[in-house]
Amino acid sequence: MRLLIVGGSDAGIQAGLRARQRDPSAEVTVLVADRYPNYSICGIPYHVAGEVPDWHDLAHRTRADLAAAGLDLRLEHRAVRVDTAAKQVDCLDGAGGTRRFGYDQLVVATGALPARPPIGGLDQLGPAEGVHSLHTIGDTLALTDSLARRQAGQVVIVGAGYIGMEMAEALRTRGLGVTVLERLGQVLPATLDPDLAAEVQATLHRHDAAVHTSTPVQAISRPGGGLVVQGRGAARWQADVVLVVTGVRPDSRLAAQAGLRLGVAGAIAVDRRMRTSVPGVLAAGDCTVTYHRLLESDTWLPLGTTAHKQGWIAGETATGGTRQFAGSMSTQVVRVFDRVVAATGLRDQQAAEAGFDPVTVASVADDHKAYYPGASPLQVRLTGDRRSGRLLGAQLLGHLGAEVAKRIDVLATAIAYRAGVADLGDLDLSYTPPLGSPWDALQHAAHAWLAHAGTAPAGRPV
Amino acid sequence: MRLLIVGGSDAGIQAGLRARQRDPSAEVTVLVADRYPNYSICGIPYHVAGEVPDWHDLAHRTRADLAAAGLDLRLEHRAVRVDTAAKQVDCLDGAGGTRRFGYDQLVVATGALPARPPIGGLDQLGPAEGVHSLHTIGDTLALTDSLARRQAGQVVIVGAGYIGMEMAEALRTRGLGVTVLERLGQVLPATLDPDLAAEVQATLHRHDAAVHTSTPVQAISRPGGGLVVQGRGAARWQADVVLVVTGVRPDSRLAAQAGLRLGVAGAIAVDRRMRTSVPGVLAAGDCTVTYHRLLESDTWLPLGTTAHKQGWIAGETATGGTRQFAGSMSTQVVRVFDRVVAATGLRDQQAAEAGFDPVTVASVADDHKAYYPGASPLQVRLTGDRRSGRLLGAQLLGHLGAEVAKRIDVLATAIAYRAGVADLGDLDLSYTPPLGSPWDALQHAAHAWLAHAGTAPAGRPV
């Protein structure tokens, strides 16, 4: 069986490895558009910060690992055309030639592309001028080169999503001046409610990163040696380097050419076994729609964790497996300096749109017993359905070291099993004074929610 | 409604507080045998270590908090007799007098007593001679007094359960020489399989605490100024202080006098609403049997978390509520120096006794991406049922800071919902390189289990 995979990042590589695990006789070829297969894109900010000095270390696996696992990688092979009838893919190779690959099963894992927001001048400016996007290892090397070459002192980051937050930290860690400009009224608008977002913004300010929300960028220009970022009215920011990280869009160009049906947000439509509308063609990762475990419908939620799982399922399907992708709940965590932000599931508006009657209740409890040194407040926002009492989503904000990441995982697990908010109080969670409380902060939050939502007798854990 | 509660620790206080939340008109009286209501017994080692310098800080709540919540505490009131027909309890008060209290509803929350192992001489030795148990604040003050007064340099700890481990760390932190003697062949015999226990033992040795397993203590004597602990044969250890922490047994003396039915391990039999065999009499905490969520039957698992939940349910039942105790899964976590050990659910032998076909598979994965500084190996042992694929239990051992405690909580949550091992791989868990991996260590472990147990196509996450 010839399995051809277009894309050498998380989804593509997982598909290939899983296929080879299940069928060691599979001939797996991976067409990689650039020279950087299987890199941890999520690790880029930590290289830029200097915490991971050698960018090669960001590789999930070495090329030798991938070869040993039976993956035939073709670097600088950009797929440009799929003939699904003839089962062939045409590529441009690095030397300017054209190559054709036949397949029995094809996995399209072309990932995402940076969004290009409507900012004047942006189309005329690029890395050569110090204006960068940040989505690939190539982008990363261009950025670090730019920072060094320009002896950059000031960077403007356009976009306060999680990459904007991570890059603000990274560049401050590098000692640079940082200003973050966000069009919407808060940081992390896709992740957090405004009150927690305000605390994240305060964290950035404490670490001397300026943040301006409700600040759309109108234009970027390069009048002299440096860059000028223009906001509304007379607002101007000078910068040596500008980083535009305003989100991504699915790269479904190849899929569209191939005639695959597209779905939500223009991503490739797939079923829960990652099958596209065309037999023999699978797709996985950021280029595809994302089945949502709680909404039980398709969304588009590009995340590395999801890409891994979808790729894994594509590898199963390609080799005759029947396991389904269980779905995403948009579980996320991001470290911002000495704080950790995490979220899973639905927020009020999404939940209401999905027909729930959402109630969100905020509470605060110590991460561990207050008498033990180092206790810190953990902020919890739980969203539940007033009618059914079902847990729908959660947002956490706490200190680094307060086990915020795995606490959101507890909630993600509960939501996956359709837990009620009240059920959280029943969970047999672990406790030792340096690491928790007899009622964990999550259980405090659950009882606070119940007291407020009135679906159960009032009262907080005591 | 007059609610009388015998016992001022976790279960009793929770019952009172919950009752008052639900029914602010309830007259709640709590008979506390000693002078230390509502202390965090789990915090004792951290006071002895000096990390919590003032033992008063170990109180979960101040007496003012409890009074404000409407609890009428009677200190040094030891209940000695219950007349369930007349609905009366007789006490000895601190002044040597007898007091009688009537009730409409009674909660028996008398807790546990230290086990007294069959060690020669133990009955003749006590705090005055430097031989201590450690179950109450009174015990704690006696121990710290003894350590100071004797200018103790060497302490022998008899028993390597979790309190033995915590006290070994505490006494080393205090700068004392520590030797732990354990009758069974490993440390933490009730919690861990031998291979992980060996690593905990190595951790103790690295911190200069001696540990001897398979070493039953035959006798303790006081031939001169110091104590001598006698093992088998010619083995002898000299000590200034000996701490005997070989477990606990339910304190069901009052319940037996009252004619309440006893169950597993001699603990008070209760249903899942914490009702005893006698109408109007509830019981909660370490003195009662523990419904096991996975076994779906009674066990005896004295833990602070369980006592809180059972007390809470007793408070509900006393005020007309109908919520049931969901059950324990014996979820535990203990910090041992720079390591954290956690467990939940069943181990092989328990699972086999319960009719499962258990398979336990060990695996190791980094707690977060290896390229990010500070990654450390997390050891995971998953126990699942070969026939059904159901997850039955787990043991974790990792470094402090590796979010071990909340990772066991993820598994405890999954087990509560009867998850299959395979389902762990489907969970949408959080990921950022400093705090996790695209496939979390738990998901690696799940795939390793599947590959080994053969209930699903082979292969580890890749």
Side-chain angles (χ1 to χ4, degrees), chain B residues 60-148:
Chain B
H60 282 304
R61 285 163 206 82
T62 65
R63 291 187 56 191
D65 291 339
L66 295 166
L71 270 56
D72 179 9
L73 263 65
R74 307 298 177 97
L75 305 189
E76 300 188 88
H77 276 55
R78 182 176 298 280
V80 292
R81 187 170 170 279
V82 179
D83 182 337
T84 59
K87 295 201 162 189
Q88 290 173 340
V89 175
D90 291 337
C91 294
L92 299 177
D93 67 20
T98 302
R99 296 286 305 279
R100 176 165 289 179
F101 293 82
Y103 65 82
D104 299 310
Q105 297 271 331
L106 177 68
V107 176
V108 178
T110 43
L113 292 167
R116 292 296 278 184
I119 294 174
L122 191 55
D123 289 342
Q124 288 75 50
L125 296 167
E129 292 80 28
V131 177
H132 295 264
S133 57
L134 193 60
H135 190 65
T136 65
I137 294 294
D139 295 343
T140 307
L141 300 179
L143 174 63
T144 52
D145 176 67
S146 197
L147 292 171

Side-chain angles (χ1 to χ4, degrees), chain B residues 101-459:
Chain B
F101 293 82
Y103 65 82
D104 299 310
Q105 297 271 331
L106 177 68
V107 176
V108 178
T110 43
L113 292 167
R116 292 296 278 184
I119 294 174
L122 191 55
D123 289 342
Q124 288 75 50
L125 296 167
E129 292 80 28
V131 177
H132 295 264
S133 57
L134 193 60
H135 190 65
T136 65
I137 294 294
D139 295 343
T140 307
L141 300 179
L143 174 63
T144 52
D145 176 67
S146 197
L147 292 171
R149 195 156 36 82
R150 291 168 215 282
Q151 300 182 296
Q154 289 293 330
V155 178
V156 165
I157 298 173
V158 182
Y162 68 90
I163 296 174
M165 297 293 94
E166 289 171 341
M167 287 307 300
E169 177 183 341
L171 295 166
R172 286 297 302 134
T173 301
R174 234 180 128 111
L176 304 183
V178 170
T179 302
V180 180
L181 305 179
E182 167 59 43
R183 182 174 61 86
L184 299 174
Q186 62 167 88
V187 302
L188 293 171
T191 308
L192 290 184
D193 287 349
D195 55 348
L196 291 189
E199 301 221 17
V200 174
Q201 190 167 342
T203 299
L204 289 162
H205 286 164
R206 266 203 313 282
H207 290 87
D208 295 322
V211 182
H212 302 277
T213 54
S214 302
T215 302
V217 171
Q218 311 280 14
I220 304 173
S221 60
R222 196 158 177 263
L227 295 159
V228 173
V229 180
Q230 181 184 331
R232 267 193 296 235
R236 300 287 182 279
W237 291 269
Q238 304 230 333
D240 303 300
V241 165
V242 173
L243 189 58
V244 181
V245 283
T246 54
V248 293
R249 57 196 164 88
D251 184 355
S252 45
R253 295 171 298 181
L254 186 71
Q257 174 277 316
L260 308 184
R261 191 165 69 77
L262 303 184
V264 178
I268 304 169
V270 288
D271 67 9
R272 291 177 61 193
R273 289 174 58 199
M274 311 316 295
R275 293 177 296 196
T276 70
S277 57
V278 174
V281 182
L282 307 165
D286 292 357
C287 60
T288 71
V289 301
T290 315
Y291 179 77
H292 196 290
R293 189 161 184 166
L294 212 148
L295 296 175
E296 299 177 26
S297 63
D298 286 340
T299 55
W300 189 62
L301 292 166
L303 287 167
T305 44
T306 300
H308 272 76
K309 292 185 185 75
Q310 290 184 330
W312 174 271
I313 295 293
E316 296 244 338
T317 303
T319 51
T322 57
R323 195 160 180 91
Q324 292 194 324
F325 174 56
S328 166
M329 299 191 307
S330 193
T331 309
Q332 293 174 59
V333 62
V334 56
R335 186 192 71 183
V336 183
F337 295 100
D338 53 354
R339 294 292 191 279
V340 176
V341 171
T344 189
L346 305 178
R347 287 159 66 194
D348 271 341
Q349 189 183 330
Q350 293 171 292
E353 286 167 6
F356 293 106
D357 181 10
V359 181
T360 296
V361 176
S363 62
V364 183
D366 290 321
D367 74 307
H368 64 252
K369 285 301 293 183
Y371 60 70
Y372 191 84
S376 63
L378 180 67
Q379 299 195 59
V380 185
R381 290 178 71 84
L382 292 186
T383 300
D385 180 44
R386 190 194 304 271
R387 285 189 298 266
S388 65
R390 185 174 167 195
L391 178 63
L392 299 174
Q395 301 162 53
L396 304 183
L397 172 62
H399 287 240
L400 188 63
E403 305 205 12
V404 174
K406 302 319 160 204
R407 275 193 171 96
I408 205 71
D409 290 350
V410 171
L411 296 173
T413 302
I415 293 172
Y417 288 97
R418 308 175 71 91
V421 178
D423 302 333
L424 296 179
D426 291 337
L427 291 174
D428 184 18
L429 304 179
S430 63
Y431 163 52
T432 184
L435 300 170
S437 301
W439 293 110
D440 188 72
L442 302 181
Q443 298 180 309
H444 271 277
H447 287 223
W449 189 92
L450 292 168
H452 183 276
T455 56

